[in-house]
Amino acid sequence: MALHEVEEALAAAQDLPEGDGKVAELERLVAHADAAEDLRLAFEARISLIEAYWNATDSWRLVPTFHWCLRTVDREPALFTAEDTERLLFLYGWAVSTATNTPRIPLADIDALLDDMERRFRAAGHSLRHVYTLRCFAVDMTRGEQQARPWFDRWRTAKRGRVGEPPGYDLNLQGALLAGWEDDTAAIPLLERVLAEGLLGGEPELPLSQLMLPYLRQGRLAEAGRAHVRTYSAQRGRAVRFHHVSDHLDFCALSGHLERGLDILVDVLPDLEKQPADDWTAMWVAASGALVCRLATDAGMGERSIAPPSDGHDPAAPGTVAALGDRLAATALAVAARFDERDGSDHNTVDVKRHLARQPLTEPFPLPGSASAAAGAEPGITSPGDGAQLDQLGPLTTEAITAVLDERGDSYRVEASGAVTGQWTSAFVQLERVGEDQTILHARVMASRTLTVDRLAEAYEFCNSWNRDTLLPKAYAHDTGDGTLILVGETNIDLAAGVSHRQLTLLVSAAIDVGGQFAAAAEQLP
């Protein structure tokens, strides 16, 4: 393969969908770049491969590739720029995280990776805040909370640096760790601040999902329920959702919503049965799924058919809730034992066993979606008949739109015109029916960030850049006539053929998500 062909194929590979197919293509191109003995091209190909590994199964594979990049830059510094070195410093976070999340990489190698990271950050004059963040998480996972607490204090008090997590994500990580330690009095104010100040732009689901269990443990049941329904609805079907699903299963188990927990478990079983991105997440999803099954079995649902087994038995034979719970518990304990073997301790096995023995914290309580709650059914639980209704086409109505928002747990208002409006972080979103027969779903988002009219050229540049790089929404600048420019995004979807509840849920959630991203991008304007 000629050098220019490798370069062209590498550029084309950037547009491939994330997953194992993209990984395979980039691994092929790395081999060709190595055969051509072009270190610069081999480096660029491996950087792309690292990014692909991060979004694929067995993400720990990026660690040896990352080490190759480090060695090459150290050996041939004249071939690389300061930006290349800075990029590698940022990628240390990925390398440490993926190494910690699998028992395949020895603990000594993780410690050595962190030591080398700290040495390079010191040599470059960077703040050690990002190093302390990663050490805190690594020590928590390998040695436990008690030994991680001093690193947490160093992380919180170190000055912010150029390399590391943005401030909002940094605070959200702190809140997530505190919530995991069940230090709810410290976690809740921190995560509520991230949410209230819109520090994550268009991603309110991240702090909300971390608040769900602290709210539940503190008896703030309505808030816990809203957080669960909204975040599971938003994360469902997205690649990121698997990393949060154990929290949703725990919510269902500890709040007594066992039917809903089983429904979610069936929904995520295909992802669990495939090779997940990391062993740590798989261990806790299995443990939380086992907890739901055990409590459901205790409640008399153990013999209910739920899903075919995944252990090589006849796939046509349905499994029971009790049998699935046993398999998931065995899986979680087996992975915990592998982690403990790596760490030279038993703390993961102890934690998993303690988790499997948990009991509900409360009786079931109504979840958002008042109609189904009033009827005594749990929102989101589908029987075969319910599933057919979710996929049944119907006309686009204001009531259909608000039903989706109710199920998500969103706050909104219905205007006299019939338009449904709401504020999502820094985005004001309006959903309405337009067209002669009102069969077009019109989604309009207005960013909180405004510009003065003398910055019209900047507004045009922002909108043109957004429209060039992003499919939706279509962006433009609106002159209010009082010297202010409003940045607006609009999307129109023709639903003359009808729309099912499931389809409308995806469309409304997508409109809110991309609207939040648009508003967050506008917030970055000077």
Side-chain angles (χ1 to χ4, degrees):
M1 197 173 187
L3 197 60
H4 74 277
E5 292 177 317
V6 179
E7 292 172 341
E8 291 170 0
L10 183 60
Q14 308 307 314
D15 295 327
L16 292 174
E18 300 296 343
D20 293 341
K22 184 173 184 176
V23 166
E25 172 63 5
L26 287 169
E27 287 177 335
R28 183 180 75 86
L29 295 176
V30 164
H32 281 293
D34 288 347
E37 298 183 349
D38 188 314
L39 280 181
R40 180 74 218 185
L41 183 59
F43 175 84
E44 291 296 338
R46 281 179 169 84
I47 291 294
S48 296
L49 181 57
I50 287 171
E51 294 170 352
Y53 280 143
W54 180 252
N55 294 300
T57 59
D58 284 338
S59 57
W60 62 270
R61 292 177 292 174
L62 72 81
V63 176
T65 307
F66 175 72
H67 278 305
W68 184 96
C69 293
L70 283 177
R71 291 194 303 270
T72 301
V73 170
D74 287 344
R75 188 173 64 250
E76 301 287 349
L79 290 177
F80 302 96
T81 66
E83 288 76 15
D84 293 325
T85 302
E86 195 95 337
R87 183 160 45 166
L88 286 177
L89 291 181
F90 171 79
L91 289 175
Y92 260 107
W94 291 12
V96 172
S97 296
T98 54
T100 309
N101 286 346
T102 179
R104 296 173 177 85
I105 296 179
L107 183 59
D109 289 359
I110 298 171
D111 290 337
L113 189 62
L114 282 162
D115 290 343
D116 186 60
M117 179 185 181
E118 181 169 342
R119 177 184 65 79
R120 291 176 187 267
F121 269 61
R122 288 185 184 277
H126 287 301
S127 164
L128 297 182
R129 186 183 183 94
H130 193 42
V131 179
Y132 295 154
T133 302
L134 294 169
R135 280 199 186 275
C136 181
F137 276 99
V139 172
D140 180 53
M141 293 170 65
T142 59
R143 299 173 176 91
E145 176 188 347
Q146 186 174 357
Q147 294 190 49
R149 279 283 185 175
W151 291 110
F152 183 70
D153 293 336
R154 293 189 189 186
W155 164 16
R156 296 183 72 175
T157 56
K159 67 177 183 179
R160 298 194 183 279
R162 203 167 64 247
V163 180
E165 298 290 347
Y169 286 92
D170 183 79
L171 285 176
N172 190 72
L173 284 173
Q174 291 180 29
L177 190 61
L178 289 166
W181 289 339
E182 300 190 8
D183 189 350
D184 297 334
T185 56
I188 289 175
L190 199 60
L191 292 166
E192 287 182 334
R193 177 190 165 193
V194 173
L195 189 63
E197 297 180 14
L199 298 181
L200 298 189
E203 297 183 87
E205 293 82 13
L206 289 178
L208 264 179
S209 63
Q210 304 296 346
L211 279 165
M212 178 173 57
L213 292 176
Y215 279 160
L216 182 65
R217 289 191 291 262
Q218 295 299 309
R220 297 168 62 171
L221 304 185
E223 292 164 290
R226 284 195 296 270
H228 163 65
V229 171
R230 177 172 178 179
T231 57
Y232 186 71
S233 175
Q235 291 163 353
R236 187 179 186 185
R238 294 168 57 185
V240 71
R241 63 91 178 253
F242 195 71
H243 295 277
H244 299 278
V245 76
S246 62
D247 289 335
H248 289 289
L249 290 170
D250 287 343
F251 169 85
C252 293
L254 300 178
S255 64
H257 288 95
L258 300 176
E259 294 276 4
R260 184 176 179 87
L262 292 173
D263 193 55
I264 291 173
L265 183 56
V266 171
D267 188 36
V268 302
L269 272 177
D271 288 331
L272 185 59
E273 291 177 350
K274 291 186 298 186
Q275 182 64 41
D278 67 78
D279 299 281
W280 184 264
T281 300
M283 177 180 75
W284 284 111
V285 171
S288 297
L291 175 61
V292 169
C293 290
R294 180 185 66 77
L295 293 174
T297 298
D298 292 347
M301 293 181 274
E303 295 306 309
R304 179 182 300 183
S305 296
I306 184 169
S310 58
D311 52 7
H313 295 140
D314 180 5
T320 64
V321 169
L324 177 61
D326 289 342
R327 286 195 299 275
L328 291 175
T331 296
L333 288 168
V335 178
R338 292 171 59 204
F339 275 111
D340 285 342
E341 182 179 4
R342 180 197 69 179
D343 300 341
S345 71
D346 65 349
H347 82 95
N348 288 295
T349 299
V350 169
D351 287 348
V352 169
K353 286 183 176 179
R354 183 184 301 119
H355 194 77
L356 293 173
R358 287 178 181 267
Q359 295 293 331
L361 299 174
T362 180
E363 294 294 320
F365 51 89
L367 297 178
S370 56
S372 56
E378 295 188 21
I381 302 303
T382 59
S383 66
D386 295 328
Q389 291 179 4
L390 290 176
D391 292 320
Q392 183 177 348
L393 295 180
L396 176 66
T397 63
T398 300
E399 291 74 17
I401 296 171
T402 57
V404 169
L405 297 176
D406 285 337
E407 197 170 84
R408 283 170 48 95
D410 292 327
S411 298
Y412 62 88
R413 62 177 293 178
V414 180
E415 308 294 344
S417 64
V420 181
T421 60
Q423 183 80 32
W424 283 267
T425 61
S426 56
F428 176 82
V429 179
Q430 177 177 293
L431 303 166
E432 62 179 331
R433 299 177 300 143
V434 299
E436 184 177 350
D437 297 320
Q438 292 198 315
T439 57
I440 296 172
L441 176 62
H442 176 73
R444 187 169 191 254
V445 57
M446 288 173 283
S448 296
R449 180 76 166 91
T450 59
L451 299 176
T452 53
V453 73
D454 60 313
R455 298 179 65 184
L456 183 60
E458 292 177 64
Y460 282 161
E461 182 180 355
F462 169 79
C463 292
N464 288 338
S465 176
W466 177 271
N467 292 332
R468 182 182 65 247
D469 299 335
T470 310
L471 181 62
L472 296 171
K474 186 71 173 178
Y476 64 91
H478 173 67
D479 186 346
T480 63
D482 63 357
T484 302
L485 295 173
I486 299 175
L487 299 172
V488 183
E490 291 188 347
T491 304
N492 290 306
I493 304 165
D494 189 348
L495 300 174
V499 63
S500 71
H501 177 75
R502 198 187 306 274
Q503 291 168 337
L504 190 58
T505 297
L506 292 173
L507 293 173
V508 168
S509 296
I512 292 171
D513 287 348
V514 298
Q517 293 165 20
F518 172 76
E523 289 289 328
Q524 301 306 309
L525 288 169

